[in-house]
Structures are given as C-alpha cells and as structure tokens.
Amino acid sequence: MKTRTTEHLVPHTVDGKTRMIPIPVEAPAPPRDWDHLVLRGVTVIAAVVLAASVVWSTASIGDLLNRAVIEPAAYGAAIVFDLAWIACMAVEWLARYDDDRAALPRKAGNLALVVAMLAIGAHGKIAGYWEIGIVGALVSALAKGLWTVVLRHQTPPLDARTRAWIQGELADAGASLALIPVRRQLQRAEAQVQAERAAIASPDADPDQSGQSTDDPAADPEPPAAGPMTIKDAVRTALDSGIREPDRVLAYVRKVADANAKADTVNRYIRLAS
C-alpha cells in the first residue's frame, strides 16, 4: 500500500505553556483520481483546439479582409469573429444553472459561429480552394462542439425544483442589488429638494431702504392676504395684482409673508417672474 507523509498538529508543552506543533505522519495515500486526470487532459486538449481554431480563422478571415483594408485592420477585425462566439460560450457557462438566461448566449454563440464559418468558407472560395474553405470552417465548429461537450459534462444535473429554488435565490439577490442605486437616487433627490428649500428660505443680504417710491400707495391697493405665504408666493401675488415697484413689493412681502425678508431675495424673485 502506498503511503504519503502528512503533518498533524499535536499539543506540546514547554515551561507550562502548550502550543500546537506540526509533526510528520505517514498516512495511506489515496488512490489516483483517474476521472479528474482524464477531465483535466480533455480540458487541455479543448484549449489547444480552441487556440488552433482562433489562429486558423483569424489568418483566413484576415487574408479575406486584407483585400479591401490594410493588414492591421483586417486581422484585428478577423479575430472578432471567434472572440464573439467564445465570449457567448463563456456567458452560457456562467448561466448554466438557469436555462432561461443561458438560452440567449447559446443562440448568439451559434449565430456568431455560423457567421465565422461562412467567412472562412468565402475566403476559400475566393482563393480558388473551396475544399479548404469548407475544412477550415469545420475547424471552428469542432472547437466549439468540443468545448460544449466539456462544459456540459462539468455542469451538475439539477432537478426542476432545485433549479426553481436557485432562481428564487438569485432573484432575491438581484433585487437587493437593484435597490442600491435606487436608494442612492432617492437620497440625491431628497438632498436636492432640501437644498432648494433652504436656498429659497434663506436671506441673502441686508435690504436697502433708500429710494422709496413717490407714487401714491392708494393708486394700486395692496391685494388682501390669503393665509400664510412664502416669499415667492407673496411676490407672485403682488405682481399679479399690478404692483411693480420693488419697494412696494418688498413692503407687501414683509407684511404678508416674512417681516425680515431681504430686498435682494425679493428682487431675485421679481426677475424670475418677469
């Protein structure tokens, strides 16, 4: 029987103080996990096939596009054909526990693969070797097919109830994440409302009492007060009643709204209402 050396922690006391120290211990070695080794080997093979597919399709499609554009642009665009279905395959793997979410990246990946195969086939036809175009297109199909088999093998089988439970958990987590930006927006909106209210209610500067109007106050009687008013409402009421002189508007505002209203604040509302 094969053995291996491992370390176990045992108590050791020196001068009345005990510590756990590691000591080497011979233990039976577990049997070799051939299933894991085979899966690792298959994954390496799939990675090599995928790399070869990307190189081949990029060279083929790049040569096709190079007939119309410069070489860097042609080969830069050519690699997109394979990266598209590879990315979709990766997203499909991430959504492996939710068939509904995995359906879209699966369809998009198959569509991107077909487009890449058609481009490789077109290059073979234009080059005069349609057989090479067909075989080259099959390289990408084999690479995606192999990775699909490997990923499906590593996906644990789940019954319908377990899948529904997982989807419910993911939905709850998604709702919690979605509430974070919503709460931030609400806080920003409330802060803006409070700042606006504070700006409207706060005085700006001392009033200037000079230059009182020489017009007869009786010519334009003041409108009656209609309950509590803000400075802004009082200014609007005075203007709607025909009072245009800033001093008279200020006097009316101090009478019906705020006895300490500032001239600059009232003048600002007059300009906004004009």
Side-chain angles (χ1 to χ4, degrees), residues 26-42:
E26 291 291 331
R32 189 180 297 274
D33 189 353
W34 290 104
D35 291 344
H36 181 70
L37 292 176
V38 171
L39 181 59
R40 181 182 297 177
V42 171

Side-chain angles (χ1 to χ4, degrees), residues 38-167:
V38 171
L39 181 59
R40 181 182 297 177
V42 171
T43 304
V44 172
I45 293 174
V48 173
V49 172
L50 180 63
S53 171
V54 172
V55 171
W56 171 264
S57 62
T58 301
S60 178
I61 301 176
D63 184 64
L64 174 65
L65 299 178
N66 192 28
R67 302 168 186 268
V69 296
I70 59 176
E71 184 173 332
Y75 286 93
I79 198 173
V80 174
F81 285 81
D82 270 356
L83 292 181
W85 63 261
I86 292 173
C88 290
M89 188 171 57
V91 175
E92 180 185 355
W93 162 256
L94 294 176
R96 61 190 178 276
Y97 298 118
D98 191 342
D99 289 337
D100 295 335
R101 295 179 61 192
L104 178 59
R106 184 182 304 116
K107 294 178 181 178
N110 293 334
L111 178 61
L113 175 64
V114 171
V115 172
M117 294 175 63
L118 291 176
I120 296 173
H123 172 259
K125 181 179 180 181
I126 292 177
Y129 302 98
W130 60 268
E131 301 90 347
I132 297 178
I134 294 177
V135 174
L138 291 177
V139 172
S140 296
L142 291 174
K144 187 178 188 304
L146 180 57
W147 267 107
T148 300
V149 171
V150 173
L151 297 181
R152 288 292 179 87
H153 176 76
Q154 295 185 8
T155 302
L158 300 175
D159 59 90
R161 292 187 177 184
T162 303
R163 289 183 182 274
W165 184 87
I166 292 176
Q167 290 176 358

Side-chain angles (χ1 to χ4, degrees), residues 11 28 45-46 81 96 118 169-170 197 203-204 212 228 234 247 259:
I45 293 174
F81 285 81
R96 61 190 178 276
L118 291 176
E169 290 292 306
L170 292 175
R197 289 175 178 173
D204 292 335
Q212 296 291 334
D247 293 338

